[in-house]
Amino acid sequence: MSANVGLSAIVGCAFWFLANSSWAAAEELEHQRAKVVEPPVAPATLTAQQLENPIAPQGPLDSGLSLFVRNGCGACHSLRGTEAHGTIGPDLSHLGSRKAIGAGILPNTEEAIALFIARPDLLKPGVKMPAFDMLPQAEIQTIARYLKALQ
């Protein structure tokens, strides 16, 4: 009888430990998910190639490039002459010169680019690009204006 009580106590302690450690692990995982990590934004510098043949407009639209990079777009898309070197999504270096966007499903307008940035899944089912509708509309418009200006 005392062996069963001892075994029950050990098993009970083991279950208590597992339950409490998995609760703590779940709480830690939830805490990690809630963290927002801002990627560092390096200052833009012009290379000799960019000075000879710039692909992007200079001036007020430059904020579109900084928003593009800061919001992680460059992790999937590339823009020649910038720090955006992604390979998962299409190269957007000359997006403004295309007749259509989204593999030909939308006209290449600033409005269509903004809609695609906000909710690509609604416009092109099966697209791998995540929705960025959590961004302020003004930022989406600035990025869209910048991309439309790329020739």
Side-chain angles (χ1 to χ4, degrees), residues 1 11 13 32 35 40 42 71 79 81 92 94 107 115 125 142-143 150:
M1 177 82 171
V11 170
C13 286
Q32 288 175 355
K35 289 181 182 175
N71 288 299
L79 288 173
L92 301 178
H94 300 286
L115 286 173
T142 301
I143 295 169
L150 295 176

Side-chain angles (χ1 to χ4, degrees), residues 13-88:
C13 286
F15 280 122
W16 179 86
F17 177 76
L18 288 173
N20 283 329
S21 64
S22 55
W23 173 79
E27 189 175 272
E28 176 62 24
L29 181 62
E30 188 61 34
H31 178 69
Q32 288 175 355
R33 284 187 191 147
K35 289 181 182 175
V36 175
V37 180
E38 293 285 335
V41 178
T45 56
L46 293 177
T47 64
Q49 180 184 8
Q50 285 175 286
L51 290 173
E52 292 173 14
N53 189 13
I55 61 154
Q58 303 299 314
L61 295 179
D62 286 343
S63 62
L65 174 59
S66 65
L67 288 170
F68 183 89
V69 171
R70 185 176 43 211
N71 288 299
C73 305
C76 295
H77 297 282
S78 60
L79 288 173
R80 283 181 244 144
T82 72
E83 60 188 279
H85 300 291
T87 59
I88 296 169

Side-chain angles (χ1 to χ4, degrees), residues 132-144:
F132 283 89
D133 57 346
M134 79 298 244
L135 295 177
Q137 189 61 34
E139 287 188 15
I140 292 173
Q141 288 300 129
T142 301
I143 295 169

